[in-house]
Amino acid sequence: MSTLYPVGLDLTGRRVVVTGGGSVAQRRVAGLLEVGADVHVVSPAVTTALEALASSREITWEQRTYAAGDLDGAWYCVAATDSTEVNAAVAAEAEAARVFCVRADSAEEGTAVTPAVGRYDDVTVGVIGGGDPRRAAGVRDGVVEALRTGTLADRRHRGDRNPGVTLVGGGPGDAGLITVKGRQALAQADVVVTDRLAPQALLDELPPDVTVIDASKLPRGRYMSQDTINAVLVDEALAGNRVVRLKGGDPFVFGRGYEEIQACAAAGVAVDVVPGVTSAISVPAFAGVPVTHRGITHEFVVVSGHLPPGHAQSLVDWAALGRLTGTIVLLMAVENLPHIAEALIDGGRDPETPAVAIQEGGLPGESTVRAPLAKLPSAIADAGLRPPAVVVIGPVADPSAFPPP
């Protein structure tokens, strides 16, 4: 096959003739209608789908065999009949009329080929496989899938760049647990504002010209204030950039995500949210701990433990939590766990309630400590377990508590 020159045709409103009415013609007609072509089908019989399109006047169907002159006024044609002779006649008329023609039965004898076509957003991918349709389809599928998942960068450099902020939940730390939409947002970012709990491996996949801003907060250590983070998001977006705020877990589960939305909205910056897999559920799952289970618990509560019981700014009713019998999931609670355990027990929770702490769930450094509630703080200290960690309190923390299936 000759080396082909790839080109995109604007067929909107232009006459395209398809000879033949079988499955190949049906597939070609679908693609032509998608780009707005004025499609004329010439064939004694057509598939049910093509007949329906003709009945709804989406295409014109000439119910007869091909005849010379059918290509008059055509910009493009497809010869897809079951007859080699008819297809050859169509191609010959097209050649004389200087109309590009695709021959479904013999690509080499046409003047054009139909590529394997895929679309993502406003990007069209067309692949010519050197005469091997399956090869072309495989490459096409790989490129479109990479665009959909964000593993192939899709950044606009001209036209409408849609500046603004996208709040992305990165999940509990494993780069594979970010959502497809989250990866897409990263692939289009000019600036990424991230923190230490976000999946760090994703940063290594960014193109070299993407600006990465570290907004990490270390417990009792260095940090970027929330007001500064808000200002960075707003300033970068107003400068015309597509900004991704990459956070660990889900932005709205103790992630101050809504504060960042409020700051953007107040400044007139467009902002949207891509939810993430929250560590409150996923990290226990990594350790084989379901936060609910039929016949064991009908409730679970997610609580921030960054302030100890009795703190003036704490909004948690620890006594009420102590009276619950279901699952309590604690985030950011390692340092205050001795006081939290005491408060829960004082509120009525059995000191022997099963409990587990999971450090860096789903990551290479994952570590698990199990002990009764009253003893869990000392067990954590003895094991040297450190934040970030998730604590689960309740019967679900005891594997032996589950009834047989």
PDB file of all heavy atoms in Angstrom, residues 19-22 24-25 42-45 64-66 78-92 101-106 109:
ATOM      1  N   THR A  19     -22.403   3.239  -1.481  1.00  0.00           N
ATOM      2  CA  THR A  19     -23.037   2.174  -2.255  1.00  0.00           C
ATOM      3  C   THR A  19     -22.936   0.876  -1.461  1.00  0.00           C
ATOM      4  O   THR A  19     -21.869   0.499  -0.983  1.00  0.00           O
ATOM      5  CB  THR A  19     -22.379   1.999  -3.623  1.00  0.00           C
ATOM      6  OG1 THR A  19     -20.981   1.740  -3.461  1.00  0.00           O
ATOM      7  CG2 THR A  19     -22.561   3.262  -4.455  1.00  0.00           C
ATOM      8  N   GLY A  20     -24.060   0.194  -1.306  1.00  0.00           N
ATOM      9  CA  GLY A  20     -24.132  -0.994  -0.472  1.00  0.00           C
ATOM     10  C   GLY A  20     -24.917  -0.695   0.789  1.00  0.00           C
ATOM     11  O   GLY A  20     -24.931   0.448   1.271  1.00  0.00           O
ATOM     12  N   GLY A  21     -25.571  -1.732   1.310  1.00  0.00           N
ATOM     13  CA  GLY A  21     -26.419  -1.504   2.476  1.00  0.00           C
ATOM     14  C   GLY A  21     -26.232  -2.523   3.579  1.00  0.00           C
ATOM     15  O   GLY A  21     -27.112  -2.703   4.427  1.00  0.00           O
ATOM     16  N   GLY A  22     -25.085  -3.193   3.587  1.00  0.00           N
ATOM     17  CA  GLY A  22     -24.822  -4.208   4.603  1.00  0.00           C
ATOM     18  C   GLY A  22     -24.189  -3.634   5.864  1.00  0.00           C
ATOM     19  O   GLY A  22     -24.230  -2.431   6.119  1.00  0.00           O
ATOM     20  N   VAL A  24     -21.038  -3.309   6.746  1.00  0.00           N
ATOM     21  CA  VAL A  24     -19.930  -2.371   6.554  1.00  0.00           C
ATOM     22  C   VAL A  24     -20.471  -0.982   6.243  1.00  0.00           C
ATOM     23  O   VAL A  24     -20.024   0.024   6.797  1.00  0.00           O
ATOM     24  CB  VAL A  24     -18.989  -2.853   5.426  1.00  0.00           C
ATOM     25  CG1 VAL A  24     -17.933  -1.788   5.131  1.00  0.00           C
ATOM     26  CG2 VAL A  24     -18.317  -4.156   5.819  1.00  0.00           C
ATOM     27  N   ALA A  25     -21.459  -0.931   5.346  1.00  0.00           N
ATOM     28  CA  ALA A  25     -22.076   0.361   5.022  1.00  0.00           C
ATOM     29  C   ALA A  25     -22.702   0.986   6.269  1.00  0.00           C
ATOM     30  O   ALA A  25     -22.590   2.198   6.491  1.00  0.00           O
ATOM     31  CB  ALA A  25     -23.123   0.174   3.929  1.00  0.00           C
ATOM     32  N   VAL A  42     -27.055   4.079  -1.795  1.00  0.00           N
ATOM     33  CA  VAL A  42     -27.593   3.452  -3.002  1.00  0.00           C
ATOM     34  C   VAL A  42     -27.431   1.949  -2.846  1.00  0.00           C
ATOM     35  O   VAL A  42     -26.308   1.426  -2.830  1.00  0.00           O
ATOM     36  CB  VAL A  42     -26.858   3.945  -4.266  1.00  0.00           C
ATOM     37  CG1 VAL A  42     -27.447   3.263  -5.501  1.00  0.00           C
ATOM     38  CG2 VAL A  42     -26.950   5.449  -4.396  1.00  0.00           C
ATOM     39  N   SER A  43     -28.561   1.232  -2.726  1.00  0.00           N
ATOM     40  CA  SER A  43     -28.496  -0.219  -2.547  1.00  0.00           C
ATOM     41  C   SER A  43     -29.907  -0.793  -2.676  1.00  0.00           C
ATOM     42  O   SER A  43     -30.866  -0.180  -2.197  1.00  0.00           O
ATOM     43  CB  SER A  43     -27.921  -0.565  -1.169  1.00  0.00           C
ATOM     44  OG  SER A  43     -27.860  -1.967  -0.992  1.00  0.00           O
ATOM     45  N   PRO A  44     -30.050  -1.973  -3.304  1.00  0.00           N
ATOM     46  CA  PRO A  44     -31.376  -2.588  -3.394  1.00  0.00           C
ATOM     47  C   PRO A  44     -31.958  -2.931  -2.026  1.00  0.00           C
ATOM     48  O   PRO A  44     -33.182  -2.908  -1.847  1.00  0.00           O
ATOM     49  CB  PRO A  44     -31.119  -3.862  -4.217  1.00  0.00           C
ATOM     50  CG  PRO A  44     -29.834  -3.624  -4.929  1.00  0.00           C
ATOM     51  CD  PRO A  44     -29.030  -2.750  -4.022  1.00  0.00           C
ATOM     52  N   ALA A  45     -31.104  -3.275  -1.058  1.00  0.00           N
ATOM     53  CA  ALA A  45     -31.554  -3.624   0.293  1.00  0.00           C
ATOM     54  C   ALA A  45     -30.563  -3.052   1.299  1.00  0.00           C
ATOM     55  O   ALA A  45     -29.387  -2.845   0.988  1.00  0.00           O
ATOM     56  CB  ALA A  45     -31.645  -5.145   0.455  1.00  0.00           C
ATOM     57  N   ARG A  64     -32.105   0.780  -5.128  1.00  0.00           N
ATOM     58  CA  ARG A  64     -31.776   0.232  -6.445  1.00  0.00           C
ATOM     59  C   ARG A  64     -30.286  -0.045  -6.494  1.00  0.00           C
ATOM     60  O   ARG A  64     -29.552   0.268  -5.547  1.00  0.00           O
ATOM     61  CB  ARG A  64     -32.158   1.230  -7.539  1.00  0.00           C
ATOM     62  CG  ARG A  64     -31.497   2.598  -7.370  1.00  0.00           C
ATOM     63  CD  ARG A  64     -31.777   3.510  -8.535  1.00  0.00           C
ATOM     64  NE  ARG A  64     -31.258   4.860  -8.319  1.00  0.00           N
ATOM     65  CZ  ARG A  64     -29.995   5.218  -8.441  1.00  0.00           C
ATOM     66  NH1 ARG A  64     -29.061   4.305  -8.760  1.00  0.00           N
ATOM     67  NH2 ARG A  64     -29.620   6.461  -8.234  1.00  0.00           N
ATOM     68  N   THR A  65     -29.836  -0.618  -7.592  1.00  0.00           N
ATOM     69  CA  THR A  65     -28.410  -0.864  -7.770  1.00  0.00           C
ATOM     70  C   THR A  65     -27.728   0.427  -8.218  1.00  0.00           C
ATOM     71  O   THR A  65     -28.371   1.365  -8.701  1.00  0.00           O
ATOM     72  CB  THR A  65     -28.170  -1.950  -8.827  1.00  0.00           C
ATOM     73  OG1 THR A  65     -28.771  -1.543 -10.060  1.00  0.00           O
ATOM     74  CG2 THR A  65     -28.762  -3.280  -8.370  1.00  0.00           C
ATOM     75  N   TYR A  66     -26.424   0.432  -8.052  1.00  0.00           N
ATOM     76  CA  TYR A  66     -25.638   1.596  -8.448  1.00  0.00           C
ATOM     77  C   TYR A  66     -25.723   1.820  -9.953  1.00  0.00           C
ATOM     78  O   TYR A  66     -25.753   0.866 -10.756  1.00  0.00           O
ATOM     79  CB  TYR A  66     -24.172   1.371  -8.038  1.00  0.00           C
ATOM     80  CG  TYR A  66     -23.197   2.251  -8.771  1.00  0.00           C
ATOM     81  CD1 TYR A  66     -23.031   3.593  -8.420  1.00  0.00           C
ATOM     82  CD2 TYR A  66     -22.461   1.743  -9.854  1.00  0.00           C
ATOM     83  CE1 TYR A  66     -22.140   4.401  -9.119  1.00  0.00           C
ATOM     84  CE2 TYR A  66     -21.566   2.541 -10.549  1.00  0.00           C
ATOM     85  CZ  TYR A  66     -21.412   3.865 -10.175  1.00  0.00           C
ATOM     86  OH  TYR A  66     -20.544   4.660 -10.870  1.00  0.00           O
ATOM     87  N   VAL A  78     -18.090   5.887  -0.585  1.00  0.00           N
ATOM     88  CA  VAL A  78     -17.693   4.609  -0.007  1.00  0.00           C
ATOM     89  C   VAL A  78     -18.317   3.512  -0.856  1.00  0.00           C
ATOM     90  O   VAL A  78     -19.551   3.452  -0.996  1.00  0.00           O
ATOM     91  CB  VAL A  78     -18.164   4.471   1.451  1.00  0.00           C
ATOM     92  CG1 VAL A  78     -17.794   3.099   2.004  1.00  0.00           C
ATOM     93  CG2 VAL A  78     -17.586   5.575   2.312  1.00  0.00           C
ATOM     94  N   ALA A  79     -17.481   2.654  -1.416  1.00  0.00           N
ATOM     95  CA  ALA A  79     -17.956   1.512  -2.199  1.00  0.00           C
ATOM     96  C   ALA A  79     -17.961   0.289  -1.296  1.00  0.00           C
ATOM     97  O   ALA A  79     -16.900  -0.272  -0.999  1.00  0.00           O
ATOM     98  CB  ALA A  79     -17.071   1.288  -3.420  1.00  0.00           C
ATOM     99  N   ALA A  80     -19.156  -0.130  -0.867  1.00  0.00           N
ATOM    100  CA  ALA A  80     -19.254  -1.205   0.129  1.00  0.00           C
ATOM    101  C   ALA A  80     -20.290  -2.243  -0.274  1.00  0.00           C
ATOM    102  O   ALA A  80     -20.990  -2.802   0.573  1.00  0.00           O
ATOM    103  CB  ALA A  80     -19.592  -0.623   1.497  1.00  0.00           C
ATOM    104  N   THR A  81     -20.424  -2.515  -1.573  1.00  0.00           N
ATOM    105  CA  THR A  81     -21.351  -3.551  -2.016  1.00  0.00           C
ATOM    106  C   THR A  81     -20.686  -4.918  -1.906  1.00  0.00           C
ATOM    107  O   THR A  81     -19.485  -5.035  -1.641  1.00  0.00           O
ATOM    108  CB  THR A  81     -21.788  -3.320  -3.475  1.00  0.00           C
ATOM    109  OG1 THR A  81     -20.714  -3.669  -4.357  1.00  0.00           O
ATOM    110  CG2 THR A  81     -22.185  -1.862  -3.703  1.00  0.00           C
ATOM    111  N   ASP A  82     -21.475  -5.973  -2.178  1.00  0.00           N
ATOM    112  CA  ASP A  82     -20.937  -7.334  -2.148  1.00  0.00           C
ATOM    113  C   ASP A  82     -20.302  -7.716  -3.481  1.00  0.00           C
ATOM    114  O   ASP A  82     -19.774  -8.823  -3.622  1.00  0.00           O
ATOM    115  CB  ASP A  82     -22.057  -8.333  -1.823  1.00  0.00           C
ATOM    116  CG  ASP A  82     -22.575  -8.170  -0.403  1.00  0.00           C
ATOM    117  OD1 ASP A  82     -21.793  -7.718   0.452  1.00  0.00           O
ATOM    118  OD2 ASP A  82     -23.756  -8.499  -0.164  1.00  0.00           O
ATOM    119  N   SER A  83     -20.361  -6.798  -4.457  1.00  0.00           N
ATOM    120  CA  SER A  83     -19.865  -7.094  -5.803  1.00  0.00           C
ATOM    121  C   SER A  83     -18.555  -6.368  -6.078  1.00  0.00           C
ATOM    122  O   SER A  83     -18.483  -5.137  -6.011  1.00  0.00           O
ATOM    123  CB  SER A  83     -20.913  -6.677  -6.839  1.00  0.00           C
ATOM    124  OG  SER A  83     -20.375  -6.695  -8.138  1.00  0.00           O
ATOM    125  N   THR A  84     -17.531  -7.146  -6.408  1.00  0.00           N
ATOM    126  CA  THR A  84     -16.245  -6.548  -6.765  1.00  0.00           C
ATOM    127  C   THR A  84     -16.389  -5.659  -7.993  1.00  0.00           C
ATOM    128  O   THR A  84     -15.784  -4.575  -8.064  1.00  0.00           O
ATOM    129  CB  THR A  84     -15.201  -7.644  -7.034  1.00  0.00           C
ATOM    130  OG1 THR A  84     -15.058  -8.448  -5.872  1.00  0.00           O
ATOM    131  CG2 THR A  84     -13.853  -7.039  -7.397  1.00  0.00           C
ATOM    132  N   GLU A  85     -17.206  -6.112  -8.971  1.00  0.00           N
ATOM    133  CA  GLU A  85     -17.378  -5.344 -10.195  1.00  0.00           C
ATOM    134  C   GLU A  85     -18.044  -4.000  -9.935  1.00  0.00           C
ATOM    135  O   GLU A  85     -17.639  -2.966 -10.491  1.00  0.00           O
ATOM    136  CB  GLU A  85     -18.218  -6.144 -11.201  1.00  0.00           C
ATOM    137  CG  GLU A  85     -17.531  -7.371 -11.764  1.00  0.00           C
ATOM    138  CD  GLU A  85     -17.509  -8.540 -10.776  1.00  0.00           C
ATOM    139  OE1 GLU A  85     -18.244  -8.484  -9.756  1.00  0.00           O
ATOM    140  OE2 GLU A  85     -16.749  -9.494 -11.008  1.00  0.00           O
ATOM    141  N   VAL A  86     -19.067  -4.003  -9.074  1.00  0.00           N
ATOM    142  CA  VAL A  86     -19.754  -2.746  -8.768  1.00  0.00           C
ATOM    143  C   VAL A  86     -18.819  -1.804  -8.017  1.00  0.00           C
ATOM    144  O   VAL A  86     -18.737  -0.609  -8.324  1.00  0.00           O
ATOM    145  CB  VAL A  86     -21.032  -3.009  -7.945  1.00  0.00           C
ATOM    146  CG1 VAL A  86     -21.641  -1.681  -7.463  1.00  0.00           C
ATOM    147  CG2 VAL A  86     -22.050  -3.779  -8.769  1.00  0.00           C
ATOM    148  N   ASN A  87     -18.095  -2.329  -7.066  1.00  0.00           N
ATOM    149  CA  ASN A  87     -17.170  -1.482  -6.311  1.00  0.00           C
ATOM    150  C   ASN A  87     -16.101  -0.888  -7.232  1.00  0.00           C
ATOM    151  O   ASN A  87     -15.708   0.273  -7.085  1.00  0.00           O
ATOM    152  CB  ASN A  87     -16.494  -2.291  -5.198  1.00  0.00           C
ATOM    153  CG  ASN A  87     -17.452  -2.641  -4.071  1.00  0.00           C
ATOM    154  OD1 ASN A  87     -18.501  -2.009  -3.916  1.00  0.00           O
ATOM    155  ND2 ASN A  87     -17.101  -3.647  -3.291  1.00  0.00           N
ATOM    156  N   ALA A  88     -15.643  -1.670  -8.193  1.00  0.00           N
ATOM    157  CA  ALA A  88     -14.645  -1.184  -9.138  1.00  0.00           C
ATOM    158  C   ALA A  88     -15.244  -0.079 -10.009  1.00  0.00           C
ATOM    159  O   ALA A  88     -14.561   0.914 -10.318  1.00  0.00           O
ATOM    160  CB  ALA A  88     -14.136  -2.327 -10.000  1.00  0.00           C
ATOM    161  N   ALA A  89     -16.496  -0.232 -10.398  1.00  0.00           N
ATOM    162  CA  ALA A  89     -17.146   0.789 -11.222  1.00  0.00           C
ATOM    163  C   ALA A  89     -17.317   2.093 -10.443  1.00  0.00           C
ATOM    164  O   ALA A  89     -17.111   3.193 -10.968  1.00  0.00           O
ATOM    165  CB  ALA A  89     -18.503   0.280 -11.709  1.00  0.00           C
ATOM    166  N   VAL A  90     -17.681   1.969  -9.179  1.00  0.00           N
ATOM    167  CA  VAL A  90     -17.819   3.157  -8.324  1.00  0.00           C
ATOM    168  C   VAL A  90     -16.472   3.858  -8.198  1.00  0.00           C
ATOM    169  O   VAL A  90     -16.367   5.090  -8.332  1.00  0.00           O
ATOM    170  CB  VAL A  90     -18.360   2.774  -6.927  1.00  0.00           C
ATOM    171  CG1 VAL A  90     -18.335   3.989  -6.000  1.00  0.00           C
ATOM    172  CG2 VAL A  90     -19.765   2.216  -7.033  1.00  0.00           C
ATOM    173  N   ALA A  91     -15.412   3.080  -7.970  1.00  0.00           N
ATOM    174  CA  ALA A  91     -14.080   3.661  -7.819  1.00  0.00           C
ATOM    175  C   ALA A  91     -13.628   4.337  -9.112  1.00  0.00           C
ATOM    176  O   ALA A  91     -12.982   5.393  -9.083  1.00  0.00           O
ATOM    177  CB  ALA A  91     -13.086   2.580  -7.401  1.00  0.00           C
ATOM    178  N   ALA A  92     -13.969   3.738 -10.260  1.00  0.00           N
ATOM    179  CA  ALA A  92     -13.573   4.325 -11.540  1.00  0.00           C
ATOM    180  C   ALA A  92     -14.284   5.656 -11.775  1.00  0.00           C
ATOM    181  O   ALA A  92     -13.667   6.633 -12.228  1.00  0.00           O
ATOM    182  CB  ALA A  92     -13.893   3.343 -12.676  1.00  0.00           C
ATOM    183  N   CYS A 101     -12.402   7.994  -2.891  1.00  0.00           N
ATOM    184  CA  CYS A 101     -13.259   6.817  -2.740  1.00  0.00           C
ATOM    185  C   CYS A 101     -12.595   5.773  -1.850  1.00  0.00           C
ATOM    186  O   CYS A 101     -11.429   5.422  -2.041  1.00  0.00           O
ATOM    187  CB  CYS A 101     -13.552   6.209  -4.117  1.00  0.00           C
ATOM    188  SG  CYS A 101     -14.514   4.677  -4.060  1.00  0.00           S
ATOM    189  N   VAL A 102     -13.370   5.246  -0.913  1.00  0.00           N
ATOM    190  CA  VAL A 102     -12.942   4.131  -0.071  1.00  0.00           C
ATOM    191  C   VAL A 102     -13.565   2.862  -0.638  1.00  0.00           C
ATOM    192  O   VAL A 102     -14.792   2.786  -0.801  1.00  0.00           O
ATOM    193  CB  VAL A 102     -13.388   4.336   1.392  1.00  0.00           C
ATOM    194  CG1 VAL A 102     -13.077   3.088   2.219  1.00  0.00           C
ATOM    195  CG2 VAL A 102     -12.722   5.548   1.996  1.00  0.00           C
ATOM    196  N   ARG A 103     -12.734   1.872  -0.932  1.00  0.00           N
ATOM    197  CA  ARG A 103     -13.241   0.569  -1.358  1.00  0.00           C
ATOM    198  C   ARG A 103     -13.156  -0.391  -0.180  1.00  0.00           C
ATOM    199  O   ARG A 103     -12.069  -0.733   0.296  1.00  0.00           O
ATOM    200  CB  ARG A 103     -12.442   0.024  -2.539  1.00  0.00           C
ATOM    201  CG  ARG A 103     -12.876   0.578  -3.866  1.00  0.00           C
ATOM    202  CD  ARG A 103     -12.302  -0.212  -5.019  1.00  0.00           C
ATOM    203  NE  ARG A 103     -12.753  -1.611  -5.065  1.00  0.00           N
ATOM    204  CZ  ARG A 103     -12.531  -2.437  -6.093  1.00  0.00           C
ATOM    205  NH1 ARG A 103     -11.853  -1.994  -7.151  1.00  0.00           N
ATOM    206  NH2 ARG A 103     -12.967  -3.678  -6.068  1.00  0.00           N
ATOM    207  N   ALA A 104     -14.331  -0.857   0.279  1.00  0.00           N
ATOM    208  CA  ALA A 104     -14.359  -1.728   1.448  1.00  0.00           C
ATOM    209  C   ALA A 104     -13.758  -3.100   1.152  1.00  0.00           C
ATOM    210  O   ALA A 104     -13.233  -3.757   2.054  1.00  0.00           O
ATOM    211  CB  ALA A 104     -15.803  -1.885   1.936  1.00  0.00           C
ATOM    212  N   ASP A 105     -13.822  -3.542  -0.122  1.00  0.00           N
ATOM    213  CA  ASP A 105     -13.336  -4.882  -0.456  1.00  0.00           C
ATOM    214  C   ASP A 105     -11.867  -4.905  -0.823  1.00  0.00           C
ATOM    215  O   ASP A 105     -11.220  -5.956  -0.799  1.00  0.00           O
ATOM    216  CB  ASP A 105     -14.160  -5.458  -1.610  1.00  0.00           C
ATOM    217  CG  ASP A 105     -14.062  -4.614  -2.886  1.00  0.00           C
ATOM    218  OD1 ASP A 105     -13.783  -3.397  -2.758  1.00  0.00           O
ATOM    219  OD2 ASP A 105     -14.255  -5.155  -3.990  1.00  0.00           O
ATOM    220  N   SER A 106     -11.283  -3.748  -1.171  1.00  0.00           N
ATOM    221  CA  SER A 106      -9.883  -3.714  -1.600  1.00  0.00           C
ATOM    222  C   SER A 106      -9.325  -2.319  -1.354  1.00  0.00           C
ATOM    223  O   SER A 106      -9.414  -1.437  -2.219  1.00  0.00           O
ATOM    224  CB  SER A 106      -9.775  -4.084  -3.090  1.00  0.00           C
ATOM    225  OG  SER A 106      -8.435  -4.017  -3.511  1.00  0.00           O
ATOM    226  N   GLU A 109      -7.074  -0.488  -3.909  1.00  0.00           N
ATOM    227  CA  GLU A 109      -7.621  -0.015  -5.173  1.00  0.00           C
ATOM    228  C   GLU A 109      -8.527   1.201  -5.008  1.00  0.00           C
ATOM    229  O   GLU A 109      -9.127   1.662  -5.979  1.00  0.00           O
ATOM    230  CB  GLU A 109      -8.368  -1.161  -5.869  1.00  0.00           C
ATOM    231  CG  GLU A 109      -7.449  -2.314  -6.230  1.00  0.00           C
ATOM    232  CD  GLU A 109      -8.172  -3.417  -6.968  1.00  0.00           C
ATOM    233  OE1 GLU A 109      -8.830  -3.116  -7.975  1.00  0.00           O
ATOM    234  OE2 GLU A 109      -8.084  -4.569  -6.527  1.00  0.00           O
TER     235      GLU A 109
END
